[in-house]
């Protein structure tokens, strides 16, 4: 089914290296390749997302954008080809709908307290009245056949199809759709085809096919190209290892350069100091960037995004009697596309837009008659977008809904990894380390805060028993009795099972910066990127919400400025554009990781060469 609207909708569619080796690497990766390709002509920029894959040569003005999915022919024809796209297991609890309705009412009341630009208050719309109007509306089936066709797989019977072709597969065609990336990680789960090996195979096939099809580069020539790969600011190291193996070992690129998305965003708009707010389909990432470095303490990831707004929009439409009663988000990909189109066409964040509106849309099943619908909507157009400020409206409950800069997973292949060292250290070494820490702390404490005899004896007993007491550094106190350890404080402030409102998360991120001057810079350069929050009025409303919650010391001295289209670059392509700009800089020559280096040293070379902390 496809929506036909007058408004424009977004496109879906070596531990040690010699100086000579370093100079050779810089010459090779910043100059020309074996085929005479120079700079951007020989570099492919890949930005993998949960919903879209953006890929292109660095010399291209814009990337090719395709749905980041692949459909494999199923061995069992009875297997369903549908993997839920919008729904989430975190909403499968009895309180979900109540959370949506209650938070929606709170948002509407808050809206009523806002003035329009003409000074008048907004008037809320009645969901009951809208439901009574929509109850009497039926679809109007026309005699016109839809021109849409299912993807033809009967002729050639391909083993797989990718991108938009995968979305337009007949549900009875015997294919199984996989979205290999979720929340910036491999989409590994208990679902069929979602093991680590299967997801890695899907990524390899999807990326190589996309490069061959859309960039017209044969796979045999990948060895003549380098690759810039955009990664999340808070990343899973097992994910980085997996995609580096795909890029350098399986796809056989000559070298790869890893760069975080927020850093690319800054390069994309030419800002050296910027707070990047990246709202994607599955997650929202916020990071402060200073002089091309992502500031680790400021990183925060909220596991909500565009798809959650779509799902909330669908719930609210059902609450006012959505006339297309056969809409099935969990089992029909085309219905999901329909709701996505409706959201992008009619949802907004403009507080001046009030009242009810009659909207019209068409359901166009492939090879079937077109059905026309109309319905009345009111604040259902703005309330779903406000869920980023009242995240309970998403109806989510579970673990790992929020991650901050302290998040780390183990890297068992890296002998310098802190967890690896801790696990392999002998008991005697561990006891000696703890004794040294204890003596250092005691030497720095005043006499009245020294450990008493019993406490000292307890600690010695713990060490003799080979236990792992909390290191003194994680429980040391300042003169006010507060913890001095930043990581512990962060974990206490940001529980992983509780979402945070977008405006408060931005403020939290900026407040992790080291000094007031830098914080003021960040408040003045809040850059909104990604495609998850591209609604009319987002700039002014987000700016107002941040200003409203500013710490008191900055309310009269700091200016808040939200940027969405800096230098007229589409927010959806800012990060990819920054990656393409980086490709022509000679200053990153030493950071390229060659295929030979990766094969020899694996992830240990990332610790040595990456611009971020591994």
């Amino acid at each position: 089914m496809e929506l036909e609207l007058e408004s424009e909708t977004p496109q879906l569619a070596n531990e040690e290296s010699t100086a000579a080796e370093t100079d050779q690497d810089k010459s090779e990766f910043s100059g020309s390749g074996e085929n005479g390709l120079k700079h951007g002509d020989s570099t492919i920029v890949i930005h993998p997302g949960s919903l879209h894959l953006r890929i292109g040569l660095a010399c291209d003005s814009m990337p090719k954008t395709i749905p980041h999915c692949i459909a494999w022919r199923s061995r069992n024809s009875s297997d369903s080809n549908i993997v839920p796209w919008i729904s989430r297991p975190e909403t499968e609890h009895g309180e979900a709908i109540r959370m949506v309705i209650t938070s929606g009412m709170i948002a509407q009341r808050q809206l009523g307290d806002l003035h329009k630009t003409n000074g008048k208050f907004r008037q809320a719309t009645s969901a009951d009245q809208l439901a009574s109007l929509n109850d009497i509306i039926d679809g109007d089936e026309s005699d016109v056949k839809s021109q849409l066709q299912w993807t033809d797989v009967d002729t050639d019977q391909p083993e797989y199809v990718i991108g938009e072709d995968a979305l337009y597969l007949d549900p009875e065609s015997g294919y199984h759709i996989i979205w290999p990336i979720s929340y910036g990680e491999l989409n590994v789960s208990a679902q069929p085809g979602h093991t680590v090996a299967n997801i890695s195979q899907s990524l390899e096939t999807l990326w190589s096919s996309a490069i061959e099809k859309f960039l017209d580069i044969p796979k045999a020539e990948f060895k003549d190209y380098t690759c810039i790969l955009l990664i999340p600011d808070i990343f899973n190291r097992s994910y980085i290892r997996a995609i580096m193996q795909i890029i350098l070992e399986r796809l056989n690129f000559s070298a790869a350069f890893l760069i975080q998305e927020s850093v690319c965003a800054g390069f994309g708009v030419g800002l050296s100091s910027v707070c990047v707010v990246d709202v994607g389909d599955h997650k929202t990432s916020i990071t402060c960037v200073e002089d091309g470095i992502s500031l680790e303490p400021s990183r925060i990831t909220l596991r909500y995004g565009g798809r959650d707004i779509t799902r909330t929009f669908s719930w609210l439409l059902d609450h006012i009697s959505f006339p297309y009663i056969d809409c099935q988000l969990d089992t029909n990909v085309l219905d999901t596309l329909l709701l996505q189109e409706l959201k992008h066409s009619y949802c907004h964040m403009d507080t001046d837009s009030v009242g009810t509106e009659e909207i019209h849309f068409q359901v166009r099943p492939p090879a079937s008659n077109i059905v026309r619908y109309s319905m009345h909507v009111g604040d259902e157009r703005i309330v779903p977008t406000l869920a980023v400020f009242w995240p309970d409206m998403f109806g989510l409950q579970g673990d790992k809904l929020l991650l901050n800069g302290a998040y780390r997973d183990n890297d068992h292949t890296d002998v310098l990894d802190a967890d690896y060292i801790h696990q392999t250290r002998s008991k005697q070494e561990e006891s000696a380390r703890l004794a040294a820490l204890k003596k250092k702390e005691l030497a720095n404490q005043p006499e009245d805060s020294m450990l008493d005899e019993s406490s000292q004896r307890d600690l010695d007993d713990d060490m003799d028993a080979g236990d792992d007491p909390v290191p003194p550094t994680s429980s040391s106190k300042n003169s006010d009795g507060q913890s001095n350890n930043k990581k512990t404080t962060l974990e206490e402030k940001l529980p992983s099972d509780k979402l945070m409102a977008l405006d408060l998360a931005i403020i939290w991120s900026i407040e992790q910066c080291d000094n007031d001057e830098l914080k003021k810079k960040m408040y003045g350069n809040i850059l909104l990127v990604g495609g998850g929050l591209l609604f009319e009025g987002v700039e002014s409303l987000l700016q107002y919400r941040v200003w409203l919650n500013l710490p008191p010391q900055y309310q009269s001295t700091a200016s808040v400025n939200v940027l969405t289209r800096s230098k007229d670059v589409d927010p959806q392509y800012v990060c990819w554009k920054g990656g393409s700009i980086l490709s022509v800089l000679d200053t990153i020559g030493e950071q390229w990781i060659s295929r030979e280096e990766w094969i020899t040293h694996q992830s240990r070379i990332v610790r040595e060469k990456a611009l971020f902390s591994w």
Side-chain angles (χ1 to χ4, degrees), residues 500-521:
M500 183 184 291
L502 180 61
D503 50 335
L504 300 181
I506 293 172
I507 293 173
W508 181 91
S509 176
I510 293 176
E511 286 302 304
Q512 308 311 305
C513 295
D514 289 335
N515 56 73
D516 290 345
E517 189 64 29
L518 182 56
K519 292 177 184 178
K520 292 178 183 179
K521 286 183 182 180

PDB file of all heavy atoms in Angstrom, residues 500-521:
ATOM      1  N   MET A 500      14.607   9.550  29.946  1.00  0.00           N
ATOM      2  CA  MET A 500      14.735  10.957  30.282  1.00  0.00           C
ATOM      3  C   MET A 500      14.158  11.797  29.158  1.00  0.00           C
ATOM      4  O   MET A 500      14.269  11.450  27.986  1.00  0.00           O
ATOM      5  CB  MET A 500      16.223  11.311  30.504  1.00  0.00           C
ATOM      6  CG  MET A 500      16.464  12.753  30.930  1.00  0.00           C
ATOM      7  SD  MET A 500      18.237  13.152  31.065  1.00  0.00           S
ATOM      8  CE  MET A 500      18.681  12.169  32.486  1.00  0.00           C
ATOM      9  N   ALA A 501      13.515  12.879  29.513  1.00  0.00           N
ATOM     10  CA  ALA A 501      12.978  13.788  28.506  1.00  0.00           C
ATOM     11  C   ALA A 501      14.109  14.377  27.678  1.00  0.00           C
ATOM     12  O   ALA A 501      15.212  14.602  28.177  1.00  0.00           O
ATOM     13  CB  ALA A 501      12.166  14.902  29.172  1.00  0.00           C
ATOM     14  N   LEU A 502      13.844  14.655  26.411  1.00  0.00           N
ATOM     15  CA  LEU A 502      14.882  15.120  25.492  1.00  0.00           C
ATOM     16  C   LEU A 502      15.517  16.421  25.957  1.00  0.00           C
ATOM     17  O   LEU A 502      16.741  16.568  25.923  1.00  0.00           O
ATOM     18  CB  LEU A 502      14.288  15.294  24.091  1.00  0.00           C
ATOM     19  CG  LEU A 502      15.246  15.778  23.002  1.00  0.00           C
ATOM     20  CD1 LEU A 502      16.391  14.788  22.813  1.00  0.00           C
ATOM     21  CD2 LEU A 502      14.501  15.981  21.687  1.00  0.00           C
ATOM     22  N   ASP A 503      14.714  17.399  26.370  1.00  0.00           N
ATOM     23  CA  ASP A 503      15.269  18.682  26.800  1.00  0.00           C
ATOM     24  C   ASP A 503      16.151  18.531  28.035  1.00  0.00           C
ATOM     25  O   ASP A 503      17.213  19.159  28.135  1.00  0.00           O
ATOM     26  CB  ASP A 503      14.150  19.695  27.047  1.00  0.00           C
ATOM     27  CG  ASP A 503      13.047  19.146  27.942  1.00  0.00           C
ATOM     28  OD1 ASP A 503      12.878  17.919  27.990  1.00  0.00           O
ATOM     29  OD2 ASP A 503      12.331  19.953  28.580  1.00  0.00           O
ATOM     30  N   LEU A 504      15.719  17.674  28.988  1.00  0.00           N
ATOM     31  CA  LEU A 504      16.519  17.454  30.194  1.00  0.00           C
ATOM     32  C   LEU A 504      17.793  16.683  29.878  1.00  0.00           C
ATOM     33  O   LEU A 504      18.840  16.917  30.499  1.00  0.00           O
ATOM     34  CB  LEU A 504      15.695  16.702  31.239  1.00  0.00           C
ATOM     35  CG  LEU A 504      14.410  17.392  31.710  1.00  0.00           C
ATOM     36  CD1 LEU A 504      13.708  16.548  32.771  1.00  0.00           C
ATOM     37  CD2 LEU A 504      14.711  18.789  32.247  1.00  0.00           C
ATOM     38  N   ALA A 505      17.730  15.769  28.908  1.00  0.00           N
ATOM     39  CA  ALA A 505      18.920  15.018  28.508  1.00  0.00           C
ATOM     40  C   ALA A 505      19.944  15.930  27.854  1.00  0.00           C
ATOM     41  O   ALA A 505      21.153  15.777  28.062  1.00  0.00           O
ATOM     42  CB  ALA A 505      18.528  13.894  27.555  1.00  0.00           C
ATOM     43  N   ILE A 506      19.481  16.891  27.070  1.00  0.00           N
ATOM     44  CA  ILE A 506      20.397  17.868  26.452  1.00  0.00           C
ATOM     45  C   ILE A 506      21.109  18.678  27.529  1.00  0.00           C
ATOM     46  O   ILE A 506      22.338  18.877  27.497  1.00  0.00           O
ATOM     47  CB  ILE A 506      19.625  18.785  25.490  1.00  0.00           C
ATOM     48  CG1 ILE A 506      19.117  17.984  24.278  1.00  0.00           C
ATOM     49  CG2 ILE A 506      20.499  19.943  25.023  1.00  0.00           C
ATOM     50  CD1 ILE A 506      18.185  18.771  23.371  1.00  0.00           C
ATOM     51  N   ILE A 507      20.348  19.155  28.500  1.00  0.00           N
ATOM     52  CA  ILE A 507      20.938  19.940  29.588  1.00  0.00           C
ATOM     53  C   ILE A 507      21.918  19.094  30.380  1.00  0.00           C
ATOM     54  O   ILE A 507      23.025  19.547  30.730  1.00  0.00           O
ATOM     55  CB  ILE A 507      19.830  20.505  30.496  1.00  0.00           C
ATOM     56  CG1 ILE A 507      19.000  21.539  29.711  1.00  0.00           C
ATOM     57  CG2 ILE A 507      20.414  21.125  31.753  1.00  0.00           C
ATOM     58  CD1 ILE A 507      17.786  22.030  30.453  1.00  0.00           C
ATOM     59  N   TRP A 508      21.532  17.838  30.694  1.00  0.00           N
ATOM     60  CA  TRP A 508      22.443  16.949  31.423  1.00  0.00           C
ATOM     61  C   TRP A 508      23.747  16.775  30.674  1.00  0.00           C
ATOM     62  O   TRP A 508      24.837  16.837  31.256  1.00  0.00           O
ATOM     63  CB  TRP A 508      21.779  15.589  31.634  1.00  0.00           C
ATOM     64  CG  TRP A 508      22.654  14.636  32.399  1.00  0.00           C
ATOM     65  CD1 TRP A 508      22.687  14.449  33.744  1.00  0.00           C
ATOM     66  CD2 TRP A 508      23.645  13.766  31.850  1.00  0.00           C
ATOM     67  NE1 TRP A 508      23.645  13.513  34.072  1.00  0.00           N
ATOM     68  CE2 TRP A 508      24.249  13.074  32.926  1.00  0.00           C
ATOM     69  CE3 TRP A 508      24.087  13.499  30.560  1.00  0.00           C
ATOM     70  CZ2 TRP A 508      25.260  12.136  32.749  1.00  0.00           C
ATOM     71  CZ3 TRP A 508      25.096  12.565  30.374  1.00  0.00           C
ATOM     72  CH2 TRP A 508      25.675  11.899  31.453  1.00  0.00           C
ATOM     73  N   SER A 509      23.671  16.551  29.368  1.00  0.00           N
ATOM     74  CA  SER A 509      24.869  16.341  28.558  1.00  0.00           C
ATOM     75  C   SER A 509      25.776  17.566  28.592  1.00  0.00           C
ATOM     76  O   SER A 509      26.988  17.457  28.805  1.00  0.00           O
ATOM     77  CB  SER A 509      24.465  16.028  27.109  1.00  0.00           C
ATOM     78  OG  SER A 509      25.594  15.904  26.284  1.00  0.00           O
ATOM     79  N   ILE A 510      25.206  18.735  28.400  1.00  0.00           N
ATOM     80  CA  ILE A 510      26.001  19.967  28.392  1.00  0.00           C
ATOM     81  C   ILE A 510      26.621  20.237  29.759  1.00  0.00           C
ATOM     82  O   ILE A 510      27.767  20.698  29.867  1.00  0.00           O
ATOM     83  CB  ILE A 510      25.129  21.155  27.935  1.00  0.00           C
ATOM     84  CG1 ILE A 510      24.728  20.973  26.463  1.00  0.00           C
ATOM     85  CG2 ILE A 510      25.866  22.483  28.119  1.00  0.00           C
ATOM     86  CD1 ILE A 510      23.795  22.035  25.937  1.00  0.00           C
ATOM     87  N   GLU A 511      25.893  19.914  30.812  1.00  0.00           N
ATOM     88  CA  GLU A 511      26.400  20.164  32.164  1.00  0.00           C
ATOM     89  C   GLU A 511      27.581  19.270  32.532  1.00  0.00           C
ATOM     90  O   GLU A 511      28.245  19.503  33.544  1.00  0.00           O
ATOM     91  CB  GLU A 511      25.281  19.985  33.189  1.00  0.00           C
ATOM     92  CG  GLU A 511      24.269  21.121  33.192  1.00  0.00           C
ATOM     93  CD  GLU A 511      24.930  22.463  33.459  1.00  0.00           C
ATOM     94  OE1 GLU A 511      25.610  22.583  34.504  1.00  0.00           O
ATOM     95  OE2 GLU A 511      24.798  23.380  32.631  1.00  0.00           O
ATOM     96  N   GLN A 512      27.866  18.233  31.732  1.00  0.00           N
ATOM     97  CA  GLN A 512      29.053  17.396  31.977  1.00  0.00           C
ATOM     98  C   GLN A 512      30.321  18.025  31.428  1.00  0.00           C
ATOM     99  O   GLN A 512      31.412  17.509  31.664  1.00  0.00           O
ATOM    100  CB  GLN A 512      28.862  16.004  31.357  1.00  0.00           C
ATOM    101  CG  GLN A 512      27.578  15.293  31.751  1.00  0.00           C
ATOM    102  CD  GLN A 512      27.336  15.286  33.246  1.00  0.00           C
ATOM    103  OE1 GLN A 512      28.179  14.853  34.025  1.00  0.00           O
ATOM    104  NE2 GLN A 512      26.170  15.774  33.651  1.00  0.00           N
ATOM    105  N   CYS A 513      30.215  19.127  30.698  1.00  0.00           N
ATOM    106  CA  CYS A 513      31.398  19.818  30.174  1.00  0.00           C
ATOM    107  C   CYS A 513      32.200  20.428  31.324  1.00  0.00           C
ATOM    108  O   CYS A 513      31.661  20.690  32.410  1.00  0.00           O
ATOM    109  CB  CYS A 513      30.997  20.895  29.177  1.00  0.00           C
ATOM    110  SG  CYS A 513      30.229  20.234  27.684  1.00  0.00           S
ATOM    111  N   ASP A 514      33.479  20.701  31.058  1.00  0.00           N
ATOM    112  CA  ASP A 514      34.402  21.039  32.136  1.00  0.00           C
ATOM    113  C   ASP A 514      34.243  22.448  32.702  1.00  0.00           C
ATOM    114  O   ASP A 514      34.518  22.676  33.881  1.00  0.00           O
ATOM    115  CB  ASP A 514      35.852  20.865  31.653  1.00  0.00           C
ATOM    116  CG  ASP A 514      36.228  19.407  31.471  1.00  0.00           C
ATOM    117  OD1 ASP A 514      35.591  18.568  32.129  1.00  0.00           O
ATOM    118  OD2 ASP A 514      37.125  19.109  30.676  1.00  0.00           O
ATOM    119  N   ASN A 515      33.836  23.415  31.895  1.00  0.00           N
ATOM    120  CA  ASN A 515      33.832  24.789  32.374  1.00  0.00           C
ATOM    121  C   ASN A 515      32.627  25.556  31.838  1.00  0.00           C
ATOM    122  O   ASN A 515      31.964  25.132  30.880  1.00  0.00           O
ATOM    123  CB  ASN A 515      35.136  25.513  31.992  1.00  0.00           C
ATOM    124  CG  ASN A 515      35.395  25.474  30.492  1.00  0.00           C
ATOM    125  OD1 ASN A 515      34.724  26.158  29.710  1.00  0.00           O
ATOM    126  ND2 ASN A 515      36.351  24.646  30.073  1.00  0.00           N
ATOM    127  N   ASP A 516      32.347  26.677  32.455  1.00  0.00           N
ATOM    128  CA  ASP A 516      31.174  27.470  32.094  1.00  0.00           C
ATOM    129  C   ASP A 516      31.245  28.006  30.678  1.00  0.00           C
ATOM    130  O   ASP A 516      30.223  28.086  29.986  1.00  0.00           O
ATOM    131  CB  ASP A 516      31.015  28.633  33.074  1.00  0.00           C
ATOM    132  CG  ASP A 516      30.585  28.174  34.461  1.00  0.00           C
ATOM    133  OD1 ASP A 516      30.137  27.009  34.566  1.00  0.00           O
ATOM    134  OD2 ASP A 516      30.700  28.957  35.421  1.00  0.00           O
ATOM    135  N   GLU A 517      32.444  28.406  30.242  1.00  0.00           N
ATOM    136  CA  GLU A 517      32.576  28.959  28.895  1.00  0.00           C
ATOM    137  C   GLU A 517      32.191  27.933  27.840  1.00  0.00           C
ATOM    138  O   GLU A 517      31.484  28.233  26.870  1.00  0.00           O
ATOM    139  CB  GLU A 517      34.017  29.439  28.669  1.00  0.00           C
ATOM    140  CG  GLU A 517      34.231  30.226  27.373  1.00  0.00           C
ATOM    141  CD  GLU A 517      33.455  31.522  27.361  1.00  0.00           C
ATOM    142  OE1 GLU A 517      33.219  32.097  28.444  1.00  0.00           O
ATOM    143  OE2 GLU A 517      33.049  31.944  26.253  1.00  0.00           O
ATOM    144  N   LEU A 518      32.644  26.696  28.038  1.00  0.00           N
ATOM    145  CA  LEU A 518      32.325  25.644  27.097  1.00  0.00           C
ATOM    146  C   LEU A 518      30.831  25.312  27.136  1.00  0.00           C
ATOM    147  O   LEU A 518      30.208  25.071  26.096  1.00  0.00           O
ATOM    148  CB  LEU A 518      33.163  24.397  27.393  1.00  0.00           C
ATOM    149  CG  LEU A 518      32.985  23.210  26.450  1.00  0.00           C
ATOM    150  CD1 LEU A 518      33.256  23.611  24.997  1.00  0.00           C
ATOM    151  CD2 LEU A 518      33.900  22.056  26.863  1.00  0.00           C
ATOM    152  N   LYS A 519      30.265  25.318  28.321  1.00  0.00           N
ATOM    153  CA  LYS A 519      28.832  25.051  28.439  1.00  0.00           C
ATOM    154  C   LYS A 519      28.019  26.094  27.681  1.00  0.00           C
ATOM    155  O   LYS A 519      27.037  25.762  26.991  1.00  0.00           O
ATOM    156  CB  LYS A 519      28.427  25.024  29.908  1.00  0.00           C
ATOM    157  CG  LYS A 519      28.993  23.854  30.699  1.00  0.00           C
ATOM    158  CD  LYS A 519      28.610  23.929  32.167  1.00  0.00           C
ATOM    159  CE  LYS A 519      29.258  22.799  32.969  1.00  0.00           C
ATOM    160  NZ  LYS A 519      28.930  22.892  34.419  1.00  0.00           N
ATOM    161  N   LYS A 520      28.391  27.357  27.795  1.00  0.00           N
ATOM    162  CA  LYS A 520      27.667  28.414  27.079  1.00  0.00           C
ATOM    163  C   LYS A 520      27.756  28.216  25.570  1.00  0.00           C
ATOM    164  O   LYS A 520      26.787  28.456  24.840  1.00  0.00           O
ATOM    165  CB  LYS A 520      28.206  29.786  27.482  1.00  0.00           C
ATOM    166  CG  LYS A 520      27.906  30.177  28.920  1.00  0.00           C
ATOM    167  CD  LYS A 520      28.512  31.524  29.267  1.00  0.00           C
ATOM    168  CE  LYS A 520      28.265  31.882  30.730  1.00  0.00           C
ATOM    169  NZ  LYS A 520      28.878  33.185  31.098  1.00  0.00           N
ATOM    170  N   LYS A 521      28.943  27.791  25.097  1.00  0.00           N
ATOM    171  CA  LYS A 521      29.091  27.505  23.668  1.00  0.00           C
ATOM    172  C   LYS A 521      28.120  26.417  23.230  1.00  0.00           C
ATOM    173  O   LYS A 521      27.502  26.509  22.170  1.00  0.00           O
ATOM    174  CB  LYS A 521      30.527  27.069  23.362  1.00  0.00           C
ATOM    175  CG  LYS A 521      31.562  28.164  23.368  1.00  0.00           C
ATOM    176  CD  LYS A 521      32.909  27.594  22.972  1.00  0.00           C
ATOM    177  CE  LYS A 521      34.003  28.646  23.001  1.00  0.00           C
ATOM    178  NZ  LYS A 521      35.324  28.060  22.611  1.00  0.00           N
TER     179      LYS A 521
END
